[in-house]
Amino acid sequence: MYLADGDGAWRFHARDGAVEVERLTAAQLATVARFTANVDDAEASEAAARVLLPEGIAARREPLYVVAEGALAGVPFAALRVGGRYLIEARPVARVPGLAVLGCRPRAWTAARVFLGDAAGDLPRATEEVRRLGGAGALVGAAATRAALASSRDAALLHAAVHGRVTAAGGALELADGTVTAAEILEQQIAPREVVLTGCATAAARDAEAWGGFPSAFLAAGSQNVVATLRSVADADAATMAAAYDAAAPALGPVGRLAAAQRQLAPTHPASSWAFFSVWGDADCATAP
């Protein structure tokens, strides 16, 4: 857990029933900022890992849960390098708005799978993405509406490949007939079991870990896991990630599937093409009834 404090931050690391606390200085945070600005720089990645990650963290295999606020909310932890290897190659990484999110709330979902894409008509790879995944039922262009998104309220899956942006009211998804904000997701209790948002900056908000962001809003409404992007991503990169994620074994659950997709892409693709996809929620919910 990383909590901002003035020009520095506090790092709390809970492991085996004990909590380690360390103060991160402004100079150390500057090291992290250099990595976030250029995630393809291996040296910067190693340096940021030394600041952010406690010793021995890559030796474990269970999911690593991260709570990060302020400037650290946008750090792509999966692409930190430890001993020459990406952290995601050692263990899955899941983000949560706060430790209270850990746990799986019971809810009844239908078998419906809702696919929306390219509402603005300027993301051709997004159109291909949702049509490949959703078949004839995919809602593309003018059919990717606010009502279509709302229809996923109790669905097993919502996959939306549309633009995201940050407004004064928080995160917003751009649909064919207007925007849907994170606040509306929470207000209307739209809570598909699994949410995949592959458009640009779909996790972004003025406070990305608070209710202004889509991951927090969907989780608060009742969703179990949310895959979203920390910043803008290229249309082609989003489609490549979506294909790798879809190819991963469903039994892994969203946390394991994103880790598998990123591990698959890491040897052949620059980190900047996959590192800014993150997953929020409890990995154990994948096997919950």
Side-chain angles (χ1 to χ4, degrees), residues 163-174 200-208 212-214 230:
H163 288 298
R165 61 188 177 91
V166 179
T167 71
L173 295 178
E174 297 184 358
C200 289
T202 50
R206 293 185 177 179
D207 180 355
F214 280 105
L230 298 172

Side-chain angles (χ1 to χ4, degrees), residues 64-165:
L64 172 67
Y65 291 98
V66 174
V67 181
E69 67 170 31
L72 297 180
V75 173
F77 286 86
L80 292 170
R81 288 178 179 264
V82 181
R85 300 174 67 232
Y86 291 116
L87 177 61
I88 198 65
E89 295 181 88
R91 58 193 299 189
V93 178
R95 304 180 72 126
V96 289
L99 296 180
V101 171
L102 293 174
C104 308
R105 288 184 292 167
R107 184 184 175 103
W109 288 278
T110 70
R113 293 159 57 88
V114 178
F115 295 87
L116 310 175
D118 194 18
D122 58 354
L123 297 173
R125 293 293 300 275
T127 294
E128 297 173 12
E129 174 186 324
V130 297
R131 283 182 172 159
R132 178 180 59 80
L133 298 174
L139 302 170
V140 176
T145 62
R146 287 169 50 88
L149 187 145
S151 73
S152 72
R153 177 174 287 104
D154 300 310
L157 171 69
L158 166 65
H159 184 114
V162 298
H163 288 298
R165 61 188 177 91

Side-chain angles (χ1 to χ4, degrees), residues 155-239:
L157 171 69
L158 166 65
H159 184 114
V162 298
H163 288 298
R165 61 188 177 91
V166 179
T167 71
L173 295 178
E174 297 184 358
L175 299 171
D177 56 350
T179 61
V180 169
T181 66
E184 290 177 283
I185 295 298
L186 186 56
E187 179 183 355
Q188 298 176 29
Q189 293 291 285
I190 300 173
R193 181 170 187 170
E194 176 185 352
V195 180
V196 180
L197 307 174
T198 61
C200 289
T202 50
R206 293 185 177 179
D207 180 355
E209 297 297 342
W211 307 129
F214 280 105
S216 298
F218 275 112
L219 291 175
S223 295
Q224 290 190 336
N225 295 104
V226 181
V227 177
T229 56
L230 298 172
R231 72 178 192 187
S232 295
V233 294
D235 187 24
D237 290 340

